[in-house]
Amino acid sequence: FSGTLSADYKIIDGLVATVTGSYVNNQQHYRAFQKYIQYNPNKETEPNRLEERFTGWHRANFDALLNFDRQFGEHGLKAMAGWHTEKYDYTYNQQFRKNFPTNDLTDIAAGDAATQKNNGYTRELAMISWFGRINYDYAGKYLLEGNIRSDASSRFADGNRWGYFPSFSAAWRISDESFMEWSKDWLSTLKMRASYGKSGNARVGSYWRQTYSPVTSTKNLYYQNEIGQSSLQPAKRLRNENLTWESKFSTNVGFDLGFFSNRINLTFDYYNDVTKDLIMEVQLPSNAGYSSQYQNLGQTTNRGVELSLNANLVQTKDFYLDFNFNIAFNKNKVDALYGANGDEMILSGGGTE
C-alpha cells in the first residue's frame, strides 16, 4: 500500500504554502512446506519441513514548504523554506521446523520443537531536516543563489546527529551586457559561473550502535529441555558515540559559450571536491574485545576539468546532423587515511545494514 496527499494554499500574491504527506507499507509472506514421501521401502525423501519468512517495512514522510516568487521591475526574487521528516522501520522474522506427524498438519506448532530454528531482527531510521533557498537576479544578467540545509539522522548518537550544509552560487550573463552589442550576430551566450558548497553523507547503518546482538547460529545456542533458547552476544563492533557526518566541500568554476543562435555550444568546468571526516570501518587490536569500529578519519581530494562541445551542423525539415565531443581530466588523491593512533588500519568504507 502506498499513498500521497498534498495541498497548496495561496497566502498572498507570490507566497504559496504546500504540505505533503506520504506513506508506504510493504508486507511479504513466504511459506514453503516440503512433504515427506516414501516411494518404496528403500526410497524416501527427507523428513517433512516448514519454513516461513515474514518481511515488512513502513516509510512515512511529511514535507511543509513555503515558496515566494515575485518580480520587482528588473529585480527577481525567489525564496523557499521547508521542513522534512521521515521515519522508516523494517522487520524480518523467520521460523523453521521439521518432523511433522503427517503432511496434512502444516501449522508451525505441529513440527518437532527440538528442530526449530528462529531468526529475526528490526531496523529503524529517522531523519529531520530544515532547509531554505533564496534566488536573486537583476535583469536576468546577475544571478545569485544561497542555500542552507540542516539534517538530523538517527544513525548517529545524541549530540552528533545534526549536520549543517550551506552552499552559494553566482553567475553573470556577459552576453546580455550593452558593451557586448557588437557580438550579437555570432555570440548568443557568454555566461560565467561559480559555486561553493558543503554536503553531508551518513553512509552507515543503524545497527552498529547496538551493544549486543542476537545469537543466530544454532551451534552457539544454549539448550533447555532440548530446545534452543534465545540469547545475546557482545556486538563485534565497538560503539563510537562521536561518529558524525561525513562532509564534502565542493568548488566549481566554469563558463558557457553559445554561437549562432546556440547552434554551437561550448561548456567548461573546473571542480575541486574535498571530502573530510570519512566514515570508515577500522580494525581494532585483538585485545580490545571487539573486531572493529566506525570512525571519522581521513581526507580525499577529487579535482579535474571537463570540456564539452555540441554543434547542430545541419538542421532541415527532413535531415539533421549533430556533433558532440566531451573530454575530462580527473585526479583523485588520498590526503590522509589513518586510524586513531596513526596506524593504517582500514578495512572498508561505511555501508548500510
Side-chain angles (χ1 to χ4, degrees):
F1 168 80
S2 64
T4 300
L5 182 64
S6 182
D8 295 330
Y9 179 71
K10 183 178 180 181
I11 302 173
I12 59 174
D13 188 25
L15 182 61
V16 178
T18 303
V19 292
T20 303
S22 62
Y23 178 74
V24 180
N25 185 337
N26 186 296
Q27 303 291 325
Q28 299 181 18
H29 177 209
Y30 168 86
R31 189 178 192 275
F33 184 85
Q34 179 179 307
K35 295 182 177 181
Y36 165 75
I37 300 176
Q38 185 172 16
Y39 298 99
N40 56 56
N42 300 317
K43 185 178 181 180
E44 61 182 353
T45 65
E46 295 182 349
N48 49 20
R49 60 187 61 196
L50 173 65
E51 179 183 4
E52 287 192 89
R53 296 197 295 266
F54 300 87
T55 303
W57 62 270
H58 312 263
R59 183 187 296 274
N61 295 285
F62 176 78
D63 294 273
L65 299 174
L66 274 176
N67 282 283
F68 178 79
D69 188 353
R70 288 289 299 273
Q71 191 74 27
F72 304 94
E74 292 189 302
H75 301 271
L77 181 63
K78 295 181 180 180
M80 183 269 292
W83 176 268
H84 170 83
T85 62
E86 66 177 81
K87 176 70 182 300
Y88 171 84
D89 64 83
Y90 178 88
T91 302
Y92 174 81
N93 287 294
Q94 179 187 27
Q95 53 190 15
F96 171 88
R97 283 191 184 187
K98 62 181 180 179
N99 294 332
F100 288 75
T102 72
N103 290 332
D104 297 323
L105 293 175
T106 60
D107 291 338
I108 192 71
D112 184 358
T115 65
Q116 71 178 12
K117 298 177 183 178
N118 300 315
N119 186 24
Y121 57 86
T122 61
R123 298 288 185 270
E124 291 185 347
L125 290 173
M127 179 174 287
I128 298 175
S129 307
W130 61 263
F131 44 89
R133 181 180 67 237
I134 186 168
N135 298 83
Y136 169 78
D137 77 89
Y138 174 72
K141 293 185 295 185
Y142 313 111
L143 312 172
L144 297 173
E145 179 177 306
N147 294 273
I148 180 65
R149 180 182 183 95
S150 183
D151 299 302
S153 173
S154 64
R155 299 175 188 268
F156 304 116
D158 290 338
N160 292 298
R161 288 180 173 172
W162 284 97
Y164 299 92
F165 312 107
S167 64
F168 311 92
S169 64
W172 179 22
R173 295 184 186 272
I174 304 175
S175 55
D176 289 350
E177 295 288 356
S178 58
F179 60 77
M180 295 294 294
E181 286 292 334
W182 60 273
S183 64
K184 291 294 184 182
D185 293 338
W186 53 274
L187 181 63
S188 309
T189 301
L190 173 55
K191 179 181 178 181
M192 302 294 295
R193 45 188 169 74
S195 64
Y196 177 80
K198 177 185 176 183
S199 59
N201 197 328
R203 59 191 188 104
V204 64
S206 60
Y207 197 60
W208 65 272
R209 296 183 61 230
Q210 299 293 330
T211 305
Y212 297 96
S213 62
V215 175
T216 57
S217 175
T218 55
K219 67 179 181 180
N220 294 329
L221 293 176
Y222 77 91
Y223 288 81
Q224 183 176 350
N225 297 327
E226 298 184 349
I227 298 177
Q229 304 297 311
S230 300
S231 60
L232 296 174
Q233 60 186 352
K236 295 181 179 179
R237 296 191 187 100
L238 177 63
R239 291 173 59 144
N240 181 2
E241 298 296 326
N242 295 319
L243 190 71
T244 188
W245 291 83
E246 181 178 297
S247 299
K248 180 179 178 182
F249 300 84
S250 302
T251 303
N252 182 280
V253 178
F255 64 80
D256 302 317
L257 279 170
F259 304 94
F260 307 111
S261 300
N262 289 321
R263 293 188 62 178
I264 301 176
N265 294 280
L266 178 69
T267 300
F268 172 83
D269 282 282
Y270 166 80
Y271 58 89
N272 184 63
D273 298 332
V274 179
T275 304
K276 299 182 179 181
D277 296 327
L278 294 166
I279 298 178
M280 304 293 289
E281 187 176 11
V282 179
Q283 183 178 3
L284 298 178
S286 58
N287 60 359
Y290 298 87
S291 61
S292 62
Q293 182 186 53
Y294 281 117
Q295 296 180 8
N296 291 109
L297 52 96
Q299 176 179 306
T300 62
T301 300
N302 177 29
R303 62 169 59 98
V305 295
E306 295 181 354
L307 180 69
S308 65
L309 174 64
N310 302 299
N312 178 219
L313 301 179
V314 180
Q315 181 70 56
T316 66
K317 179 181 178 181
D318 301 316
F319 177 77
Y320 69 90
L321 177 64
D322 289 342
F323 171 80
N324 298 283
F325 172 79
N326 297 275
I327 189 170
F329 300 92
N330 178 269
K331 182 179 181 180
N332 291 304
K333 180 183 177 183
V334 178
D335 303 314
L337 199 59
Y338 296 96
N341 298 319
D343 302 321
E344 297 186 9
M345 303 189 303
I346 306 306
L347 290 181
S348 62
T352 57
E353 295 179 328

